[in-house]
Amino acid sequence: MEINIVHLYPDLLNTYGDLGNLWILRERAKARGIDVKIHNVSVLNDINECDLLFLGGGQDFEQSLVIEDLIKNKKQYIKDYIENEGVCLCICGGYQLLGEYYMSAAGEKLPGISILPIRTEAGHKRLIGNIIVQGENEIYVGFENHAGRTYIGDLKPFGKVLSGHGNNGEDGLEGCIYKNTYCTYMHGPLLSKNPILADELLIKALSKKYGNVTLNPLNDYYENQAKKAVLMRALPELCER
Amino acid sequence: MLISTVGIIIFCKDVIAINILIIYLCKFIYKICVLFGRGSSLPGKIALKLRPDILKSAAKKFKVIMVTGTNGKTTTSAMITNILRLDNKSVISNNTGANMIDGILTCFIANYGKSGWAVMETDEAYTRVITEYLKPEFIVVTNVFRDQLDRFGEIYTTWEKIKDAILKSPESKLVFNGDLELFAKIDFKNPVFYYGFKNGAGEKKVNAENAFCLCCGERLTFNFITFSNLGDYYCENCGFKRPFLSYTLDEIIEQTTEGTKAIISGVPVELSVPGVYNVYNALAAFALADLAGIDKEQIALGLSTQGSCFGRNESIKVDGSSLHMALIKNPTGCDQCIDAITLYSDPCSLLFMLNDNWADGTDVSWVWDANFEKTAGMQYSKVLIGGMRRYDMAIRLKVAGLDEKKFVLLEDDNQILESVSDCKGKVFAFCTYTAMTGLRRTMYNKGIVKDMWK
Ligand SMILES: [Zn+2]
C-alpha cells in the first residue's frame, strides 16, 4: 500500500513543531510496510495526489501571505476534497483558515476560505498551556497557544475540555470535526502523544483508497508515558483508571 | 548604619537624597544576601517597590551598553566585558543571567558608588522598561529568532518591544546583526552600525525555508546563508537588500570543537568558543568595542581569552567520564550546539534533558523544530534521557533515527550522574535551563563541582 501525504505551505505554516505530526505519520505507516510520500505544496503549486492533507499554523504575517494563494488557487480543490470525505488534519492557524474569517492580533479582519461555518474573534490574552480533552472514544493531550477565540456553531467538537482553554475559553469545546476533517488548536505536536489518533487518520485515509484496512499495533510505551506525564500533572485522578 | 539611614530618611525631604538613601538601604540588604550565600534580585525588587524610577539614580554614573536578542546575549555581553576589562576599563555586568529589570537594578545597586561601563544583558521583554529610565550609550541586538513562543507570542511582537525601547532612547548608537532581514526595515533617528558575513561560511545554499520580503512579501533570494535565515539576502521583486556592513567576518580559517580562527574586518582573531553562532557574537562584540574606542589588537586579545560562560560549553569530570554541557532552549540555538558537537567523530555518549518549567519554556514542541537527526550520525554507545518531559524527548529522538536499543530513561539527577560515570568517556549533554541548573546543584552537593555558579 502507499499513502500520499500533502503538507500545505510547509515554508509558511510551520510553527510549534507542526512537521513532527507528518514525521510521526510517516514512521507509523512505514512500520507497517506502507510506502509514504510527503508532498510539499506551497504558493502557486498544485495539489496532485493526496490521501491525507495537512495544514499547520503560522504567524500573522506568514498567514496573510497564505490566504491570497488559498483563495485564488486552492479553495475549490480543498472544498471538494473535504466534502468527498478526504482525510484532513488542520492545526491552529490552518484550522482558523478553513473558517469564514479570523481577526488578527493587530485587529485586522482577514477572510478564511469558508469551507467550515466557523469564526475566529480576537482575544487580548493568549490562551497558553497544556490541554487535555475528552474526544469521542479517547482522551487527547497537547499544548495550546493562540490569541484567537474560535466559535464552531453546530459542528461537532474535536473534544470537550477537561483541562486548559480550548476554542475560546468559554464554551468548553476544543477543535471541530467535519466528515473526515479534524481541526484543533492542539500542537505539541498533537500526534506525538496521541498515537491512537495518528492510526485513526492512517486507517481512514488507507480505507478510503483500498477498502477496509486494519493496522497491527506498535509499541507505544514512550507515547503513552508522555501522555501520562501531562495527565498526571493536571488530572492525576484520570490516571487511576 | 541602619539607624542612621532611617534617621536621615525621616529628616530628608529631597527626592534625590531619598533615592540615594533607598539605594544604600538596598545595597545593605544585598550585602546581607551575599553573606547568607544567596545571590538574588531581591534588593532590586524592594527598591522598585519603593520608587519605580530608582534605576535612573542607581545607574547615573555609568555608561550603559544594553545587549539584547533571542540568542547569544550572554556570550556577547561576556565578550564585551572581557575586552573592556583587558583594556583596564572599569566594568560592571549582570553576568549570571539576571536579565530582567529587578536583576539589572540589583547589579547597579550592588555597584553603587563606582563608575565606568555597565554591560547589561537584557531580556527582550524588559528593554522598553529599561530605556524608560536609562539612555544607553549603545544598544546591541544580536538577533530575534523563535524562542519560547509561549512567552513572547511571535517574533514580530518581540521585535516591536525592542523597537519601542529604541524609540525611547534616540541617541543610543545601535549595533545590529546585518544578516537578519528583520533589522533592515527600520526608521530610527539613531546612528546604526551593522555587522555580518562578507562571504558564506562553508556550504552555500540559496533557499531559506521561510524568508519573505518584509516590503513586498515576495520570497527572498540569498547569495549565501550562514545559518537559519541569516545571510546575504535580497528581493528580486522590489530591490530590498542587506544593508551596508560596517563590520564584517572576512574569512573563517579553521573551525574545531574548541574554537574558531577567523578574520574580522581585517584583523585575525582566535575565538576560544566554537560554532558559527559564536562568530556572530564575536562580530557584535568587535563592533561594539571598536565603536567604544578600543584598539583592534586589544579587541582580538579579548576575544581569544574569552572563557566559556556558565552552561554554554564547559567540561566537568564525573568519575572516569567528562561531561560536556550545552544549554538548549530554542531550535536555532539548539541546532548550533548540535553543529558544534557533531564535529566530534570519536566514540562518546549522549545525554538529553528536557524540562518544561517557566524558565525552560512551558511548551516542549520546539524540540520538533531542532535538527536532532544530525546527532543520529554520531558514534554514541548510550543515549541517556532525563528531565520532566523525558518521554517527549525519547519520542523525538526515536523519530530522529537514534537507536532505540541504546536509550536509557532516567528518573532523577542521581540516576543520571550514575549513568554518566558508567559511560567512562566523553558524554555530550543537551539540557534545558532548569534541567541544567538542577543537575549542577546535585553535582555541587556531591562535591563534583566547586561552585554552583561559575
Ligand atoms: Zn520585496
Side-chain angles (χ1 to χ4, degrees):
Chain A
M1 291 189 284
E2 180 192 83
I3 186 165
N4 289 283
I5 302 177
V6 170
H7 188 189
L8 267 182
Y9 309 106
D11 48 352
L12 290 159
L13 302 185
N14 179 27
T15 44
Y16 312 120
D18 281 337
L19 202 53
N21 287 313
L22 298 187
W23 294 340
I24 287 154
L25 288 170
R26 182 190 66 201
E27 294 307 307
R28 299 187 75 81
K30 270 195 192 161
R32 274 79 171 232
I34 298 160
D35 288 330
V36 183
K37 282 189 186 153
I38 294 182
H39 307 274
N40 291 327
V41 174
S42 190
V43 174
L44 297 175
N45 302 153
D46 289 328
I47 306 171
N48 296 316
E49 273 177 289
C50 180
D51 305 313
L52 203 160
L53 186 65
F54 179 76
L55 200 54
Q59 304 194 35
D60 283 345
F61 173 67
E62 279 83 13
Q63 226 158 290
S64 68
L65 296 178
V66 162
I67 295 171
E68 211 187 301
D69 183 69
L70 262 183
I71 293 177
K72 225 169 36 195
N73 303 317
K74 301 188 175 68
K75 181 179 168 171
Q76 199 52 49
Y77 180 96
I78 298 173
K79 193 174 169 62
D80 294 345
Y81 177 85
I82 287 176
E83 291 298 341
N84 278 320
E85 299 187 335
V87 179
C88 187
L89 177 62
C90 303
I91 294 187
C92 210
Y95 169 21
Q96 298 172 344
L97 285 169
L98 288 195
E100 287 162 11
Y101 64 86
Y102 75 93
M103 303 294 292
S104 78
E108 208 183 334
K109 186 172 180 173
L110 297 159
I113 51 175
S114 295
I115 291 176
L116 299 180
I118 56 181
R119 301 166 286 121
T120 301
E121 307 294 346
H124 28 258
K125 200 172 157 278
R126 285 185 88 84
L127 306 177
I128 302 172
N130 288 311
I131 172 165
I132 303 167
V133 309
Q134 174 70 61
E136 205 164 29
N137 308 307
E138 215 17 65
I139 287 172
Y140 301 118
V141 304
F143 194 94
E144 62 181 328
N145 181 351
H146 51 107
R149 305 316 199 242
T150 299
Y151 298 87
I152 61 171
D154 295 333
L155 285 178
K156 187 174 141 192
F158 174 70
K160 292 205 168 97
V161 179
L162 298 177
S163 169
H165 305 284
N167 283 337
N168 46 51
E170 292 164 19
D171 60 17
L173 304 179
E174 206 295 315
C176 68
I177 296 178
Y178 174 72
K179 295 192 173 178
N180 285 331
T181 294
Y182 296 69
C183 295
T184 175
Y185 273 118
M186 297 170 83
H187 59 260
L190 172 72
L191 300 181
S192 69
K193 287 182 279 293
N194 302 291
I196 291 177
L197 179 65
D199 282 355
E200 189 178 319
L201 295 172
L202 288 174
I203 290 169
K204 283 195 168 162
L206 290 165
S207 297
K208 190 163 187 295
K209 196 170 177 182
Y210 297 104
N212 261 343
V213 169
T214 52
L215 298 175
N216 57 307
L218 299 177
N219 178 0
D220 289 329
Y221 176 72
Y222 294 147
E223 288 77 0
N224 292 329
Q225 289 296 319
K227 177 174 174 176
K228 197 175 158 193
V230 176
L231 287 174
M232 273 305 276
R233 226 184 287 175
L235 300 166
E237 64 277 11
L238 279 176
C239 298
E240 315 270 294
R241 286 196 257 149
Chain B
M1 183 201 166
L2 197 61
I3 295 166
S4 60
T5 310
V6 174
I8 301 168
I9 287 183
I10 292 166
F11 289 108
C12 188
K13 284 177 187 139
D14 186 330
V15 175
I16 296 169
I18 288 179
N19 277 357
I20 292 169
L21 282 169
I22 292 172
I23 291 167
Y24 273 115
L25 188 69
C26 293
K27 190 171 175 175
F28 181 67
I29 296 169
Y30 173 82
K31 285 190 173 155
I32 293 173
C33 290
V34 173
L35 216 63
F36 285 92
R38 300 198 166 269
S40 85
S41 300
L42 185 71
K45 268 195 194 104
I46 295 171
L48 267 179
K49 274 263 153 58
L50 294 172
R51 306 240 357 146
D53 66 346
I54 195 107
L55 189 57
K56 206 171 174 176
S57 309
K60 207 172 171 184
K61 293 230 171 90
F62 288 94
K63 288 183 277 183
V64 177
I65 298 167
M66 182 163 92
V67 183
T68 191
T70 315
N71 291 339
K73 52 184 177 288
T74 305
T75 306
T76 304
S77 303
M79 285 173 167
I80 294 169
T81 305
N82 195 47
I83 295 167
L84 294 174
R85 280 202 180 126
L86 271 180
D87 202 51
N88 294 318
K89 302 273 190 291
S90 158
V91 192
I92 65 163
S93 79
N94 57 337
N95 50 12
T96 49
N99 61 13
M100 303 186 191
I101 178 128
D102 44 356
I104 288 168
L105 183 53
T106 301
C107 177
F108 280 114
I109 287 170
N111 290 289
Y112 192 75
K114 295 183 193 164
S115 62
W117 290 97
V119 181
M120 290 295 141
E121 170 192 335
T122 309
D123 185 287
E124 302 90 286
Y126 288 87
T127 49
R128 54 182 175 186
V129 186
I130 304 292
T131 58
E132 184 78 45
Y133 305 110
L134 286 187
K135 308 299 164 199
E137 200 92 354
F138 294 100
I139 299 175
V140 183
V141 190
T142 55
N143 48 58
V144 176
F145 289 132
R146 279 165 55 181
D147 174 24
Q148 303 187 5
L149 282 101
D150 53 329
R151 270 176 71 196
F152 295 130
E154 302 189 331
I155 58 171
Y156 302 105
T157 318
T158 307
W159 177 225
E160 285 305 318
K161 285 178 182 162
I162 297 172
K163 283 206 281 194
D164 275 359
I166 294 169
L167 283 175
K168 287 180 191 165
S169 186
E171 273 162 33
S172 301
K173 296 185 191 76
L174 308 178
V175 177
F176 281 171
N177 187 335
D179 288 354
L180 187 66
E181 183 211 5
L182 200 59
F183 296 163
K185 200 172 167 252
I186 51 167
D187 185 22
F188 300 122
K189 291 194 184 76
N190 311 51
V192 190
F193 302 89
Y194 288 104
Y195 60 86
F197 276 51
K198 192 181 257 178
N199 301 299
E203 87 243 62
K204 296 192 176 183
K205 53 173 187 176
V206 286
N207 284 312
E209 270 176 16
N210 44 12
F212 295 85
C213 179
L214 287 171
C215 294
C216 70
E218 201 59 35
R219 195 180 292 269
L220 288 175
T221 314
F222 282 78
N223 287 320
F224 62 82
I225 288 171
T226 54
F227 69 87
S228 190
N229 281 347
L230 300 178
D232 183 10
Y233 61 83
Y234 61 95
C235 173
E236 283 179 345
N237 186 45
C238 76
F240 182 62
K241 64 173 202 281
R242 183 169 75 159
F244 170 77
L245 303 177
S246 306
Y247 297 91
T248 53
L249 182 280
D250 302 335
E251 196 185 341
I252 287 186
I253 294 163
E254 195 190 333
Q255 267 186 296
T256 66
T257 42
E258 313 297 322
T260 305
K261 283 184 192 166
I263 296 180
I264 295 176
S265 292
V267 182
V269 293
E270 267 185 59
L271 305 178
S272 55
V273 284
V276 175
Y277 58 109
N278 277 320
V279 175
Y280 272 106
N281 296 333
L283 269 167
F286 188 101
L288 190 285
D290 185 63
L291 291 166
I294 312 285
D295 182 76
K296 288 199 174 64
E297 305 301 316
Q298 195 66 26
I299 299 175
L301 182 68
L303 290 173
S304 68
T305 57
Q306 171 63 42
S308 57
C309 313
F310 165 63
R312 283 154 177 89
N313 282 305
E314 55 173 337
S315 188
I316 299 162
K317 286 264 160 285
V318 183
D319 288 336
S321 299
S322 87
L323 181 62
H324 189 97
M325 302 239 265
L327 177 69
I328 55 170
K329 56 170 186 169
N330 57 33
T332 314
C334 183
D335 282 354
Q336 297 310 311
C337 288
I338 291 170
D339 284 351
I341 287 165
T342 49
L343 291 172
Y344 189 81
S345 53
D346 292 335
C348 61
S349 290
L350 303 173
L351 164 64
F352 299 90
M353 289 181 76
L354 181 63
N355 273 3
D356 66 348
N357 291 313
W358 173 254
D360 305 291
T362 55
D363 182 5
V364 295
S365 65
W366 68 269
V367 300
W368 293 87
D369 292 320
N371 187 16
F372 289 104
E373 278 71 8
K374 203 167 169 181
T375 61
M378 294 183 78
Q379 300 296 314
Y380 56 87
S381 47
K382 275 185 199 163
V383 179
L384 312 176
I385 308 172
M388 298 150 76
R389 299 298 290 261
R390 57 189 174 277
Y391 292 104
D392 284 86
M393 196 66 223
I395 301 166
R396 174 68 189 99
L397 297 172
K398 182 170 85 171
V399 171
L402 281 86
D403 184 358
E404 217 181 314
K405 292 196 283 296
K406 294 180 178 170
F407 287 15
V408 187
L409 277 94
L410 300 159
E411 269 174 42
D412 57 37
D413 290 347
N414 289 324
Q415 284 189 5
I416 288 169
L417 290 173
E418 245 168 67
S419 301
V420 166
S421 75
D422 285 347
C423 288
K424 308 252 176 288
K426 251 195 201 296
V427 181
F428 290 105
F430 299 83
C431 310
T432 59
Y433 186 76
T434 66
M436 172 172 280
T437 50
L439 186 64
R440 203 176 164 93
R441 181 164 289 281
T442 308
M443 289 193 287
Y444 175 73
N445 292 339
K446 287 175 180 287
I448 297 170
V449 291
K450 282 197 204 76
D451 308 295
M452 181 54 207
W453 304 99
K454 189 178 155 191

